[in-house]
Amino acid sequence: MSALFEIPGVIEGRALGLLLVVAIFVIVYYYLKSGKIPYVRRVAGLDAIEEAVGRSAEMGKPVMSTIGIDGFNYWTLSALTILEHVSRDCVKKGVRILVPTGGGDSSYIVRPVAEEIVKDAYTIEGNPEDYRPEDLPFLSGQQYAYTGGVVGILQRAKPGACIMVGGHHSEAMNIAETAVLVGAITITSGTYVSNVAVLACASDYILIGEESPAAGAYLSKDPAQRASIRCQDIYKGISIALIIVGTVVLTLGSDFFIQLLSS
Amino acid sequence: MSLLKSFNSYDSRIVYLLLFLIVTIPLLSPMGLPISVSPSTVTYYDVIDALGPDDLVLVVLDTEFSGYMEIQSGIIASMRVMVERDAKMCVAVSHPEATGIPELVFAAIRETVEEHGYTYGEDYVILGYVFPNEAAVASAAQDWQGVIHKDFYGQSTEGTFLDQIHDWSDWTLISDYTTGIQSGSLINHFGLRGTPMIVNCIGVMISTQMPYLSTGIYQALLQSMRGGAELEYLTGHPGPGMTAMDAFTLGHYMLIVLIIIGNIGYFGTKENSRRNVE
Amino acid sequence: MKSRELSLIAMFLSFLVVFVPYFIDVPALDTFSTKLITITAITVSFTLLLAIHSQFKRGFDFVRRKPRGWIFKVYMMITIVLMLLFALGGLETGSYHWAMYAIITPLSSVNYGILAFYLASTCARAFKARNTKSILLILTGFIMLLYQAPFTGAFFDLGPIGIYLANTFGLAAGRMFLISVTVGAMVFGIRILLGQEPGVLGIRSEE
Amino acid sequence: MIDPVEFSIMVVGCFLSMCMFSTLYGKSSPLYALAEESYIGFATGLTIVMNLMYIYNTGVVGIQGGDWILIFGFILGIATLLRINPKYSYLSRLPIAITLGAQLGLSLRTQIYTGFIDQIKASIIPLFEGSAKTLIYNWTTFICVIFMLSFFLYTIEIKGPIKLSAKIGEYLMYASFGAIFAQTFMGRLGLFVGSIQNFTVPPWKKPILIACMAIVLVALIALDKLNLLEKLTPEE
């Protein structure tokens, strides 16, 4: 397919890609510098999380909350924000919170941040002396050693709710199945499509794909997180518009948009 | 009614035991149930069938060993075809565990290799773990001679057909066998630039890989163990895939039966409990 | 303060060196960019050696505390050392070869194979026609399972509908996730480049 | 005659595999721990060996061949390792920054095509041309992509037509999840079938498989009855 336009000096067929990357740079920069805090809607999953913590409080059972096994990426960041929300809610309602970490080579960088968040929750919402470091075990940097550890904790502690967000991979299924079997309300999120599909079947409530970063952004006061969701929406909007208009124009007999996208 | 109740909820260890037996028994004594061939496998076969002696194929074993157990039939069957067509083959690996795979594959196709006088160095080279991360894939795509110096056995690759390779454009085909470790990097740095690619992926990755097939980066996609078995059938060399198909079929049927039983139990007990309330 | 800015500048420069020559034809920069990518590949390989540190640190921690079953950790550390020693004897034969095929390969496949059991029990438990969503789920799942069993094709041809489901619904979901995750990852990458995510560089936010 | 080395590979591999399957019994057990620690230990060893080989084959051999600039790979690599020591961890920041920048460059320059532009291009398809089959395919894909994407908009109020569109998107997504669940099961089943098949071909392996299954099952039940399962399993 021939290109619709070219930029002098830019390799043929790569102009649009360059423009789109530069544009996204500008948009992100704009939102970060302008100090505007964009609106983010509340996703239904957050109600499910609060309800699950509430039910655990009624039953006098602990809550397990995981943040994934990845290093710092945007799934992990949103998981940390959700953890902040969950841990404060738990401390307020007097529920013990279990936060196992580990599972990947870079997960140990995230661990101190998670620790800090839970400690802060006790300081802000309750008594800092109630904080128990043994409730935040680091279960090795190996994926399946971590999984075995989490499954063991689930079997022994029998929590009332298991909130599993962040970057989880194939181990998510083991954890979700065990959580359901021990009677926990299971709320999960998946980062890739086949994982989401199986977790949608296995758990009581699922945050589908980007719902968990959106939930994190909703809870967060950090303008950067909200700005990212805003930028993502702009690009998703562009893609929807291009697909619809492109299809209509193609149906009318012109391949203008295909040429544009090949530029 | 207690039967219906037990249909609705039962110890999942029963499911585990059933699945274990249903898979193990037909593997211990195969039944030879017939299979059918899907169009995607035919497309895949057409691509490798068209290879010739002048073609240079980069075979990437992009999998942990676990993935190999699922797609070994596809790997063995397609590499056999490549040997039969006398295409030059370079085997690269993107996971430490996969370094054990080439030995098993070449043992499985030893007769074909001997029959065609397919020789190491001249016709094929095994590179070992050369794609540990995306940067490694990218540098191999841009400057092959600057990165690849030795094969898996520590011998220099100089003097082999790899001397003809300078960058991505020198490959006729990239044949990726993947659980998704570096498939994205191969797409980014080879496929996107225009190197033809085919892929054989594990079942879990089908939905993730499908968009690349529809955009034309992949010429064909062979699905999971089933695709491998169909390829064995097409090439006329029954292997691990076809012998596993009995267990494969029964495993699927077991799930179907479980869904039916579960719904009978669900609706049976639902009716029952409603009546009790009234 | 200084160290942080230096890191950010270095990151941005190396980003530009790799990014720019892909779009703009500058042969000298292109050569340098290729070298930088190779250097990155080598550097990243070094970080994987951190695995040995994290395993031993945790292992020794167990030995010091001596909780129940600490002897398993001692065994684990010995196996790491054994594998390194085995490799010195050559990769094609002998003990390295034995460990590869007797331990690593079978356990790797069982490790993931176990997931089939969890999927089966999920299916038995969750595939019940409770509401519209689950009815849709069961319907497509049921047809796909039937289609995927290779024996089914010998009786009646579910091919057209199975392929239809995979190539339309399955493809659309895959594509939608891909677009959405790509944009998400790009925005996150730009945030890192703009110095908004110091944690990624190992810098604490108060610095 | 069975090769003794191959025989020992089969016996050890099969026994440890069955130990790993013991996790399905639903209780933690020393048998599982044995298999798990064996795998972690040997696999970590393998990762280290293979990475050292890569560093040697690409770096050392490259430098010997006159590509001296690759020495920076070693300097940066060793500096990265310093992050394990809190006193010198600041020295690891620069190499991390440089490699991170290069990696971001690699992904940003290509993802915009593979994950965005190309996907949009592939979604622009004719809706009134081609055979009946093509039309059904095209219409379904078009509708699915549009509605599903609208489910993922978060910074606008969800009401009116967008609410309806997002709702339809959610339903379509569940329909696709059924199909994807089946594909995922196919994959995991394939892994399981493959791992058992490893122990059934050639036929001399079959009795060993049955024996290992029996031994592990009996040991598991015996340990459970004697209340030893928990006592012998390592703590996390």
Side-chain angles (χ1 to χ4, degrees), chain D residues 14-125:
Chain D
C14 188
F15 176 73
L16 286 177
S17 299
M18 293 308 131
C19 287
M20 208 161 220
F21 276 120
S22 72
T23 181
L24 294 171
Y25 189 68
K27 292 178 181 172
S28 39
S29 78
L31 297 171
Y32 178 74
L34 174 72
E36 188 195 17
E37 300 295 354
S38 307
Y39 178 53
I40 293 175
F42 281 105
T44 308
L46 176 72
T47 308
I48 296 164
V49 171
M50 284 301 140
N51 276 293
L52 287 176
M53 254 182 83
Y54 178 80
I55 293 168
Y56 176 79
N57 282 341
T58 310
V60 177
V61 177
I63 294 167
Q64 282 169 348
D67 210 354
W68 59 267
I69 198 170
L70 295 182
I71 201 141
F72 283 104
F74 287 80
I75 297 169
L76 295 178
I78 290 162
T80 312
L81 296 182
L82 289 174
R83 78 197 272 168
I84 56 181
N85 185 336
K87 206 169 151 194
Y88 299 106
S89 68
Y90 69 94
L91 286 173
S92 72
R93 277 185 206 156
L94 198 64
I96 293 174
I98 293 172
T99 49
L100 197 62
Q103 284 169 320
L104 285 172
L106 281 176
S107 56
L108 277 176
R109 76 185 198 185
T110 49
Q111 276 180 344
I112 188 74
Y113 291 102
T114 54
F116 194 74
I117 295 178
D118 287 358
Q119 298 307 327
I120 297 174
K121 210 154 68 173
S123 303
I124 300 180
I125 38 183

Side-chain angles (χ1 to χ4, degrees), chain B residues 71 90-91 109 123 127 136 182 199 226-227:
Chain B
I71 53 176
C90 170
V91 184
I109 58 171
D123 298 305
L127 288 182
Q182 294 298 346
V199 69
R226 185 191 164 168

Side-chain angles (χ1 to χ4, degrees), chain C residues 3 14 68 73 75 98 140 164, chain D residues 37-38 93 98 140 175 233:
Chain C
S3 144
S14 86
R68 197 180 65 220
K73 295 294 167 200
Y75 167 71
W98 187 89
T140 54
Y164 169 74
Chain D
E37 300 295 354
S38 307
R93 277 185 206 156
I98 293 172
T140 319
T233 308

Side-chain angles (χ1 to χ4, degrees), chain A residues 105-119:
Chain A
D105 280 332
S106 37
S107 57
Y108 68 95
I109 317 173
V110 184
R111 179 189 158 70
V113 184
E115 228 169 356
E116 208 67 27
I117 285 173
V118 178
K119 222 185 267 177

